[in-house]
Amino acid sequence: MNSAAPVAGHSLTIQLLLDREIIDQKKLREFRARVGELTVHELIKSGLATDQQIAQTYSEHLVLPLVTEETQGGAPSPEMARLLPEKLCRDQLVVPLSVRGEQLDLAIVTPDAMLVIDEIQLLTGLRVRPRIAALSIAEVWLDRLFNETHATEGFIPGTEEFEQIDSDQSEEEDDDDTILHLDQPPPPGRNGRVIRMVNQILDQAIRSGASDIHLEPFEDTCRIRLRIDGRLQEMPPMPRSTFTMVLSRFKILAKMDIAEKRIPQDGAIGLKSGERRIDLRVSTVPAIVGEKMVMRLLDKGNIPLDLTTLGLDVRQASDLIESIHLPHGLMLVTGPTGSGKSTTLYACLNLLNESHTNICTVEDPVEYKFRGMNQIQVKSQIGLSFATALRSFLRQDPDIIMVGEVRDQETAEICLRAALTGHFVLSTLHTNDALAAVNRLQDMGIEPFLLASTLRVLEAQRLVRRLCPECKEPYACEKELALRHGLEPGETLYRPRGCSKCRESGYKGRVGVFEVIRITPEMARLIQRRTPLPELRAAARDQGMKLLIDSAVDKARQGVTSLENALSVAIGDQD
């Protein structure tokens, strides 16, 4: 056991042990001079007190029963291992002992664990009855609960296949246990009400097609907002005290440290609503009056195989499909956060995902999990960066490599090297439009001749709001506006009006606006000559490629969105 649980209320704990004459004042001073900060492990290791004496002291002070091997009748049942996450139990030194009706008997080692009892009640839906246990007993019980669950009985020749099948089945069952099923009724009682609130927030977000859920605390109130069709819409507020419990419930589901409120955390939640499987990417940051949480909803079922359903026109989809089926080269997708870059990349990978193709991805975070792809999560805290994973990938005989983002020169150089040596590489880059990626890579120190020989397609995208088909109304475009944006004076366009079907917003859903620049031999020559960006854009237009502003205006002309909304996402990309 590696956890070194701090002594709860250091001075109070020491005082309790001194009052009972368990430790000697002189030895304590000598020990503190050598060690400084006291932990339960150090206190026991020093011989100042035994874990049984410390447990008895806590039991008397908190007026809680002391549980032992004899009173418990042996180790807890293996079924208890499924009740609480292993990380929570080991970090907080708590052991689920037994369930009687709606009551959970829980062994705790230090009074610190009392702080997470509310969260454990939210997680289990049971009323927790705490018991004090000695550290050594708790460690033994935790090892029996969680280590033996995964322990093997020894290798028997000829059973490798069966062991692998059992392992896969066990993994699937474990994964299913960690999925939140919104259709299951919550338990009765106070904790059941909080669980019901959490489920209602998730259910409303799914039904309304929200892309994000925002939970924001304020001094005397709170705010819950859903991002629907690109706009934040507020839900009815809840009491501040209830909001704190709801936030704790979400943190438990996301496998976050519920006791840590001072630093940002990231987590994930898997849930099912009917037959739909949806993943949530969860992020918290400490605000002045509490933690702010944002959850992004990721529905793998929304990733299309037909790229035209994303909003690409026939020419753009054709250029993209032909480019990604080339044997080697580099494809870059650009756009701001939330513009659907990941959806486009995964749609391309879906088209390429075949049994004879080795696809490797390195992402931060892994948003969607796909069968047939080898996906790696970046872990910078242990040195697993994009560049590190990429170098390893090149020794894994890949055909296609997807890199979540090109963030630095090292990653860019490895991507280009992979593209030059027979691999097709897909990645994202933060630039305002597709061709600006050329300048961005040159700023990183990449030579133009390398870009000209490796780049195959550059793609930029934005999301515009779809006009509600039930209430959009036609109007004649004004002459001045038409001439400014290449439209015919008096041409029929559409604008939002608002109805009950679109919540009076005039818009319902979103669609992509794209700029697909295929690097033809002519474009490659211009890139190698360091041609300025305006001339590259003009050359792309001359070859029949649409820039973002062109695609946006086309969407307005087709009645998909309003001209005002189309220009709001692409006006900055005009020459």
Side-chain angles (χ1 to χ4, degrees):
M1 185 86 181
N2 296 323
S3 58
V7 175
H10 298 212
S11 58
L12 175 61
T13 304
I14 297 300
Q15 190 60 52
L16 290 173
L17 294 172
L18 288 170
D19 291 344
R20 289 163 174 76
E21 298 181 351
I22 293 174
I23 59 175
D24 180 73
Q25 187 75 260
K26 181 180 178 182
K27 289 183 179 179
L28 179 64
R29 283 197 298 270
E30 293 174 355
F31 181 72
R32 271 184 163 161
R34 293 196 315 270
V35 178
E37 191 75 9
L38 290 175
T39 68
V40 171
H41 285 281
E42 289 164 350
L43 202 59
I44 296 169
K45 188 178 179 181
S46 69
L48 290 175
T50 67
D51 63 338
Q52 294 291 341
Q53 289 173 323
I54 294 173
Q56 185 64 45
T57 300
Y58 287 150
S59 174
E60 294 172 2
H61 178 68
L62 297 173
V63 196
L64 291 175
L66 182 67
V67 64
T68 64
E69 286 272 12
E70 291 74 25
T71 59
Q72 178 63 19
S77 168
E79 285 76 19
M80 292 295 102
R82 293 184 177 273
L83 202 59
L84 294 174
E86 180 179 357
K87 186 178 187 301
L88 171 65
C89 293
R90 292 194 183 276
D91 288 350
Q92 302 297 329
L93 287 175
V94 298
V95 186
L97 299 175
S98 62
V99 175
R100 302 172 186 175
E102 295 182 5
Q103 181 174 279
L104 167 64
D105 284 352
L106 185 77
I108 66 175
V109 173
T110 74
D112 280 347
M114 298 291 288
L115 300 174
V116 297
I117 282 181
D118 283 346
E119 282 79 3
I120 291 174
Q121 290 183 153
L122 283 173
L123 179 62
T124 61
L126 301 171
R127 187 174 68 257
V128 172
R129 187 171 67 167
R131 301 281 187 267
I132 297 292
L135 176 62
S136 59
I137 294 175
E139 288 180 334
V140 169
W141 285 347
L142 287 173
D143 285 340
R144 287 181 185 173
L145 274 180
F146 296 108
N147 289 353
E148 291 182 2
T149 303
H150 308 292
T152 58
E153 297 296 331
F155 178 75
I156 302 175
T159 62
E160 303 97 312
E161 181 181 352
F162 297 102
E163 287 180 356
Q164 182 63 44
I165 292 172
D166 290 343
S167 174
D168 292 343
Q169 289 175 346
S170 175
E171 184 178 346
E172 289 178 5
E173 290 171 2
D174 289 344
D175 288 345
D176 192 60
D177 287 341
T178 61
I179 295 174
L180 174 64
H181 293 266
L182 293 184
D183 301 330
Q184 292 180 353
R190 177 168 172 260
N191 295 323
R193 289 196 295 273
V194 174
I195 293 172
R196 188 178 294 107
M197 285 183 183
V198 167
N199 291 356
Q200 286 173 350
I201 293 171
L202 294 172
D203 184 61
Q204 184 167 344
I206 293 169
R207 284 189 290 104
S208 59
S211 61
D212 300 88
I213 304 171
H214 291 244
L215 306 177
E216 302 162 308
F218 298 99
E219 287 186 3
D220 54 353
T221 184
C222 62
R223 185 165 63 181
I224 302 174
R225 295 188 291 175
L226 305 179
R227 186 174 293 280
I228 303 171
D229 300 338
R231 297 289 181 92
L232 286 170
Q233 298 184 17
E234 197 161 344
M235 290 178 63
M238 63 178 65
R240 184 71 163 80
S241 57
T242 306
F243 175 83
T244 304
M245 299 177 72
V246 166
L247 198 73
S248 295
R249 168 70 176 168
F250 277 120
K251 288 181 71 174
I252 291 167
L253 292 172
K255 300 178 181 61
M256 294 178 171
D257 186 348
I258 53 179
E260 181 56 75
K261 298 177 173 62
R262 302 165 299 171
I263 59 175
Q265 294 189 70
D266 293 310
I269 300 173
L271 62 89
K272 269 195 170 184
S273 177
E275 294 301 317
R276 291 178 67 186
R277 164 67 191 267
I278 296 172
D279 294 310
L280 276 70
R281 193 174 73 197
V282 187
S283 171
T284 64
V285 293
I288 296 176
V289 291
E291 287 182 288
K292 179 184 186 297
M293 177 179 284
V294 176
M295 291 172 282
R296 172 152 292 182
L297 282 74
L298 306 168
D299 186 355
K300 190 166 68 174
N302 288 338
I303 297 178
L305 288 174
D306 183 1
L307 294 179
T308 57
T309 60
L310 287 173
L312 293 152
D313 64 26
V314 176
R315 162 74 186 269
Q316 290 173 332
S318 174
D319 282 350
L320 199 57
I321 291 171
E322 288 180 20
S323 298
I324 64 176
H325 279 94
L326 293 172
H328 55 82
L330 176 62
M331 168 186 172
L332 289 175
V333 178
T334 70
T337 302
S339 61
K341 298 190 298 296
S342 296
T343 301
T344 301
L345 278 179
Y346 281 122
C348 292
L349 288 175
N350 255 336
L351 292 174
L352 299 170
N353 190 12
E354 298 176 355
S355 60
H356 56 76
T357 305
N358 180 15
I359 300 178
C360 300
T361 78
V362 52
E363 307 167 61
D364 186 22
V366 175
E367 295 187 348
Y368 300 96
K369 298 175 184 177
F370 286 89
R371 184 181 297 275
M373 298 184 197
N374 305 287
Q375 297 173 272
I376 289 183
Q377 167 71 55
V378 166
K379 295 178 182 177
S380 54
Q381 65 271 24
I382 61 171
L384 182 58
S385 63
F386 282 113
T388 305
L390 266 173
R391 279 193 292 269
S392 299
F393 276 167
L394 294 178
R395 296 190 289 271
Q396 293 282 315
D397 185 32
D399 297 302
I400 296 165
I401 299 173
M402 194 272 270
V403 182
E405 182 182 348
V406 175
R407 295 180 178 175
D408 50 46
Q409 181 180 358
E410 184 181 13
T411 306
E413 287 176 345
I414 299 173
C415 285
L416 288 164
R417 193 183 313 141
L420 279 170
T421 54
H423 309 94
F424 195 83
V425 182
L426 304 91
S427 189
T428 67
L429 193 66
H430 284 285
T431 58
N432 288 330
D433 63 6
L435 285 166
V438 174
N439 286 1
R440 179 76 181 95
L441 289 170
Q442 288 177 356
D443 290 342
M444 287 183 179
I446 306 300
E447 292 295 332
F449 72 88
L450 281 175
L451 295 176
S453 59
T454 55
L455 287 176
R456 295 294 177 264
V457 62
L458 300 172
E459 190 253 25
Q461 61 188 74
R462 300 290 189 275
L463 291 177
V464 296
R465 306 171 76 195
R466 284 183 184 271
L467 284 167
C468 174
E470 301 293 332
C471 65
K472 66 179 181 180
E473 57 182 17
Y475 72 99
C477 183
E478 297 177 2
K479 181 178 179 180
E480 182 181 347
L481 193 64
L483 294 175
R484 192 187 311 160
H485 299 295
L487 299 167
E488 293 293 330
E491 184 173 349
T492 300
L493 299 178
Y494 292 84
R495 58 190 171 199
R497 186 177 64 195
C499 66
S500 59
K501 296 287 182 67
C502 60
R503 297 180 292 276
E504 303 301 329
S505 67
Y507 296 94
K508 192 172 183 180
R510 290 189 291 177
V511 66
V513 170
F514 295 88
E515 176 179 291
V516 178
I517 307 297
R518 191 167 183 182
I519 307 303
T520 61
E522 175 62 25
M523 294 295 294
R525 282 194 291 272
L526 293 174
I527 290 172
Q528 189 167 347
R529 294 173 191 162
R530 294 182 184 269
T531 304
L533 194 54
E535 293 182 31
L536 285 176
R537 289 173 179 156
R541 270 186 170 141
D542 290 342
Q543 295 182 46
M545 304 177 201
K546 292 180 182 178
L547 303 187
L548 274 173
I549 185 64
D550 304 324
S551 297
V553 171
D554 277 353
K555 288 288 189 294
R557 182 181 278 118
Q558 295 161 10
V560 175
T561 189
S562 64
L563 182 62
E564 177 187 19
N565 190 240
L567 296 177
S568 70
V569 300
I571 193 67
D573 300 297
Q574 292 188 87
D575 294 338

